[in-house]
Amino acid sequence: MYNVAVCGASGYTGSELLRLLTNHPFVKVTAVTSEKSAGGYITDMFPFLCHYEGLKYEPLVKEDLHKKADIFFMALPHGASQEAVAYFHKKGKKVLDLSADYRLKNPDVYEKWYGVKHNYVDYLKDAVYGLPELYRKDIALTDLVAVPGCYPTASLLGLYPALYYNLIEKDNIIIDAKSGTSGAGRKADYALSFSETFGSFRAYSVASHRHTPEIEQILSFISSSDIKVSFTPHLLPVSRGILCTIYATLKEKKSVAELVDTYIVAYGNEPFVRVLKKGRLPDIKRVGLTNYCDIALSVDERTNRLIIITAIDNLMKGASGQAVQNMNIMLSLDETTALKSVPIFP
Amino acid sequence: MYNVAVCGASGYTGSELLRLLTNHPFVKVTAVTSEKSAGGYITDMFPFLCHYEGLKYEPLVKEDLHKKADIFFMALPHGASQEAVAYFHKKGKKVLDLSADYRLKNPDVYEKWYGVKHNYVDYLKDAVYGLPELYRKDIALTDLVAVPGCYPTASLLGLYPALYYNLIEKDNIIIDAKSGTSGAGRKADYALSFSETFGSFRAYSVASHRHTPEIEQILSFISSSDIKVSFTPHLLPVSRGILCTIYATLKEKKSVAELVDTYIVAYGNEPFVRVLKKGRLPDIKRVGLTNYCDIALSVDERTNRLIIITAIDNLMKGASGQAVQNMNIMLSLDETTALKSVPIFP
Amino acid sequence: MYNVAVCGASGYTGSELLRLLTNHPFVKVTAVTSEKSAGGYITDMFPFLCHYEGLKYEPLVKEDLHKKADIFFMALPHGASQEAVAYFHKKGKKVLDLSADYRLKNPDVYEKWYGVKHNYVDYLKDAVYGLPELYRKDIALTDLVAVPGCYPTASLLGLYPALYYNLIEKDNIIIDAKSGTSGAGRKADYALSFSETFGSFRAYSVASHRHTPEIEQILSFISSSDIKVSFTPHLLPVSRGILCTIYATLKEKKSVAELVDTYIVAYGNEPFVRVLKKGRLPDIKRVGLTNYCDIALSVDERTNRLIIITAIDNLMKGASGQAVQNMNIMLSLDETTALKSVPIFP
Amino acid sequence: MYNVAVCGASGYTGSELLRLLTNHPFVKVTAVTSEKSAGGYITDMFPFLCHYEGLKYEPLVKEDLHKKADIFFMALPHGASQEAVAYFHKKGKKVLDLSADYRLKNPDVYEKWYGVKHNYVDYLKDAVYGLPELYRKDIALTDLVAVPGCYPTASLLGLYPALYYNLIEKDNIIIDAKSGTSGAGRKADYALSFSETFGSFRAYSVASHRHTPEIEQILSFISSSDIKVSFTPHLLPVSRGILCTIYATLKEKKSVAELVDTYIVAYGNEPFVRVLKKGRLPDIKRVGLTNYCDIALSVDERTNRLIIITAIDNLMKGASGQAVQNMNIMLSLDETTALKSVPIFP
């Protein structure tokens, strides 16, 4: 039995982690932190987490906290994670950081997009990017995982085989992404209020979203070249789900059947990637509350374009589910432990 | 052309008033107030109100403001309205108060339910309760209208004929009410965020909602007796709309047809009350964005109960639409001016 | 390992049963029926049920089917269930009927409300009403369970302790119920289309819903008297969830704390009933995808009324979850097998 | 006063036309057709259209119908419109066809995408494509208008200035479009049921939607070259609204400010096009129930891409509102007659 701390447990990724860990047979949550709610019971904040009756929020005092757990999930805001991650890492703990702080290898790129300096550059090289489908072996060997962002997960799983097998041009990739509101985090905000979001649909952070360099970094690694993408996020009037519609130019004519075969080979026995048969298209509702990423491929023969559509649950495969998957790999457990869930209908 | 000021124009009832007044041929908005947004353009807060290009929010300085308008719509929070209403009233202005401050005739009842003392008790007797279907003549003669609350409007229009014609027992009235989220006002609040309200439905303020004494006051007037009701509001996952399901015991057996006839007589040529034919039931969607109140009557013969169902748009007939209707009456204009709108489908 | 057949597996209660049974360690689904889809793969109808890859729908030929399973879940329309239930029952199978066909003990009442004659009156007395909180012992001993309707489940769990402990008057019970659209079943229907239901809220079947006699039958058993209720269902714009607001007159003054204590005693260790602390109110979102029934009690002291609010997931505790709970009891298994799920947030 | 017939008045575009025409001072609806509902009152189908009390549906018998009106709105399914349009056109009537039957100039393209032969090729050349921003003068002179499709309207208004002023490459245009469910028409269909669409988001008709050739035809006219686009529609869980995110490669570096200026010049005094200031982005909710098309421009400098985002109400500017706008032009009326509506908030 491993002891687990969840730092930043008053937001959606934190509460989702706690929900998943109630079903994990080898893990015990021994500490949860929240600066604002310190001293309060977690069941007062989240009555549905009655599994954790009696557990209180504490402030993140790292000198105390490191004694309480073997594994640290860090669900803090970007910037706030840097120092504590470094501390627990130095103490030899297993750390899974759900913030962006250890995702970007280049500290200048981090500073440019996130507006804060990175003070623990030495540890950046230790951090493994926690996308199991690409980096499973590295994850198994590391103690520090940077859990990917929600949009990057849906984008990278869609593009990886196409780039890896050199099927598409590298200079014309467009990712049109749509996310449910929980992706914006737990916020009291007019623009995210029910009254103003009901019946609404809009783009935001056009050509300027912080997930752009994260996507580009991994695509560039895959293709051994410098890739730039256009990435446009939109806000869907649903609580959960991301759907990415990805456009790229095919190098050579390919049928959908050929492409599906390539993707099926690429993803082999991946437990959480489902390449859909020709004619089926992903729906965020079909992956809701699961750790699956559904992928469909279409070819627009008239323009020689490959259209890749992916769907995930942003709080599951896009955040907390993927974090648990990473932990399972780090602990040499069955990777699907606590993550087997049948999609809901209707 | 009348000059109009809207005090408290950064919330939903204020913006709805401004939306409606763009279509009013005899009215010009000359001032809008907001303490927080003072100095800013209203089109920066509400881009859709482009009709008011150039108009700036000002703080509510009543000594200046009273010179700027003939008619004052007060869309301030409860308690905050008392003083300014009294001031403009004393200055001889026409005042329409959308807060609860001048609705309750008994200042002790007001203090008990709203938790603040009423400091302008002398003016309470001047205020007319702005439900045109009951008090049209008084509205036409007054300069001070207390615009009814949203739940009271839907409840009273449903119950008035039944009580007036002595069809129901007075001691067993239950109002089960459901409202869209805009009824809670413009708030940045976790509990009203899209993520947490999507797929949700719940009751709130059970047996303790402040609209209870307002409903009881008018029902008691109608029936010349002391009426107490049970009133339970619920929060619907839609932005607009109130539906009330009202239960009462019939004094004598009546058919639905007879009851419908009585209601049709009671409401005669009312422009905004629609008594539905037997077999049709109200839907908040059918009255959305209109000033209508739809009413249906059913009889549960097995229990001898009358079931009255009413639907309104909480921001229209439940607040700003009704306020404009009152103003039209006060100004001897066609009562439906700026309020003719065909329901939307789908 | 028990072999299970699901008859009528192309609707929502059927698909929900199949979803739940994928997690059941002692059960294997060996047959699924659908007249319309006979010959087709279940994964073509419901791609999310990939657990059942290879399983085909067959028509309900009872002479063949009875050999294929030990346990029969009947998710057929009302009326269509009578004969097949009788047949499998006579063959000694364990039968759980999710239709209304074996719920009402009086065949005349059945015929009056459902418009069809009951041709298997002799078996009605064998059928146990599958509400475990009331009839657990009988369920454990029977082979034929009539699984309660969704509205009756939410209504009866709310009223049972109040009636059993004689706290309320018997002649003034009102149930104001609200259900998500999946309660209407899987239908292609204008009135249930997304375009026309989005932003909508309405009552239906006022004073005439078929669940009324079912509720009254059990309340009458509990109180040993002839109880009549007023029951009004409404359609909520969500896919899942039922919330019932129940009004009754208290015989004697009681505090909420006393009433909560009584309910806690009444429900003792029930695994799926949660009596909420004073001040907390149920939300359909808090019980979504779980088998819980949440119950809150309020007292309107001004009118001496008890207000009971209950919430369930209509497809879980309101249908398929409860059916599985019954099966577990019939098989002497842990009653919560395949039914432990932590509520979702947000 | 002109007499108007609406052929195919049992669907959403037909009912929206009737809603708009209630506010039109120069028009009287004298006939409505529906094959299925012939003989029934329109107020039985659509109670909200009480303005048309007494008007009955009739079958489309063109020999009778042509005598009843001066202007014919044809809201029939694609293919079903051909013959009646030709007939009324030949009779000298003003015809506005909301189907696709007279939009494509090349009958072979029509046959390829719509699967039916065009039997009235001679009239195709008479038909003017009813996008007033491009073809106002032709519309004013013609008697036969092919009202544009919803997606083409949102796409073309977004792309027209960029192509007309030669700002973008012609071979790399991608339109990622999202529409509310009413765009699918009034259908009783599982996939469009509330239960199955709630919480859902998905693409459909990828690389194969019938609006593709319509978009390409007009873009090719504008740019005097053969343009092919990739067009991907998605289904949003809202009833109304289309948002298009359009990607194109800039020929030369341009700032957003320069591009906004160009668009403002291009659209001059257009009453229904609003080019948004830098930093503001369209939202379908901001154009809901209006005839506006909102347009925002962004530049992704890193990839030299222009990102154009447009929003319309699919039943208004995307269908019936635009049809009325065309009629106003044909009749030399103020183009905004019956189309002035302030957006709704919230």
Side-chain angles (χ1 to χ4, degrees), chain C residues 13-136:
Chain C
T13 52
S15 66
E16 185 78 347
L17 274 169
L18 291 167
R19 182 178 73 85
L20 292 171
L21 295 177
T22 57
N23 294 319
H24 201 296
F26 305 119
V27 147
K28 184 174 161 36
V29 176
T30 50
V32 290
T33 83
S34 165
E35 305 312 302
K36 273 195 228 163
S37 304
Y41 286 106
I42 195 160
T43 47
D44 283 339
M45 175 77 91
F46 299 124
F48 75 97
L49 290 175
C50 50
H51 187 91
Y52 300 100
E53 194 76 55
L55 189 65
K56 276 186 180 174
Y57 284 113
E58 52 189 288
L60 201 171
V61 181
K62 52 190 188 310
E63 295 76 12
D64 296 340
L65 205 61
H66 79 92
K67 299 172 204 154
K68 297 192 177 174
D70 314 303
I71 300 168
F72 288 79
F73 287 101
M74 311 299 289
L76 301 171
H78 307 306
S81 209
Q82 276 188 35
E83 189 190 351
V85 166
Y87 182 90
F88 296 131
H89 178 52
K90 211 160 49 181
K91 287 280 181 191
K93 303 294 176 179
K94 294 194 187 299
V95 183
L96 298 108
D97 184 13
L98 284 86
S99 88
D101 285 357
Y102 287 82
R103 292 181 196 152
L104 297 172
K105 290 299 176 192
N106 184 335
D108 297 337
V109 174
Y110 173 82
E111 188 172 345
K112 183 182 157 200
W113 287 82
Y114 287 90
V116 280
K117 207 176 145 50
H118 206 300
N119 297 314
Y120 301 86
V121 174
D122 287 355
Y123 296 130
L124 280 182
K125 65 174 188 320
D126 297 350
V128 171
Y129 191 71
L131 196 60
E133 292 77 7
L134 271 72
Y135 299 109
R136 181 171 286 107

Side-chain angles (χ1 to χ4, degrees), chain B residues 176 198 216 247 285 302, chain C residues 176 198 216 247 285 302:
Chain B
D176 192 278
F198 181 75
E216 291 176 345
Y247 300 88
K285 188 160 178 154
R302 302 160 53 265
Chain C
D176 192 277
F198 181 75
E216 292 176 345
Y247 300 89
K285 188 160 175 152
R302 304 160 53 265

